[in-house]
Amino acid sequence: MNINEIENISMKNLIKVGIKVKSQRSLRNLSQDELAELSGVNKFTIGRIENPNKYHNCELLPILKLAAALEISPHKFFDFSDLE
């Protein structure tokens, strides 16, 4: 696998993470402000993660905090089969 293929896969997965956060937040009727308060993750960071139209790079810790606040295990959080 070459670097372009790896970057393409990585970008697709970043988009899926954003979709997962936004959909799970919406299912729980949470605003970004409310999720920020629950998770300890800055609202600006949540907005960047949820925006699938821009390339964003995020550390893993905020993602894990969001998963915990949304009451989703990391294993299930990174299972994207429901998005395919």
Side-chain angles (χ1 to χ4, degrees), residues 10-27:
S10 297
M11 183 60 184
K12 286 179 182 178
N13 285 331
L14 284 173
I15 290 169
K16 289 176 183 178
V17 166
I19 292 168
K20 178 82 84 164
V21 170
K22 187 172 186 173
S23 66
Q24 293 297 314
R25 178 178 61 77
S26 295
L27 281 172

Side-chain angles (χ1 to χ4, degrees), residues 1-16 55-57 80:
M1 189 175 293
N2 67 40
I3 190 71
N4 290 331
E5 291 170 320
I6 292 170
E7 286 184 17
N8 190 28
I9 290 169
S10 297
M11 183 60 184
K12 286 179 182 178
N13 285 331
L14 284 173
I15 290 169
K16 289 176 183 178
Y55 179 80
H56 55 275
N57 189 4
F80 301 130

Side-chain angles (χ1 to χ4, degrees), residues 1 9 17 29 35-36 38-39 43 48 51 62 66 70 73:
M1 189 175 293
I9 290 169
V17 166
N29 294 315
L35 182 56
L38 284 172
S39 66
K43 178 185 169 184
R48 281 188 24 221
N51 186 346
L66 291 171
L70 293 167
S73 70

Side-chain angles (χ1 to χ4, degrees), residues 36-47:
E37 189 173 320
L38 284 172
S39 66
V41 175
N42 182 298
K43 178 185 169 184
F44 174 75
T45 300
I46 293 170

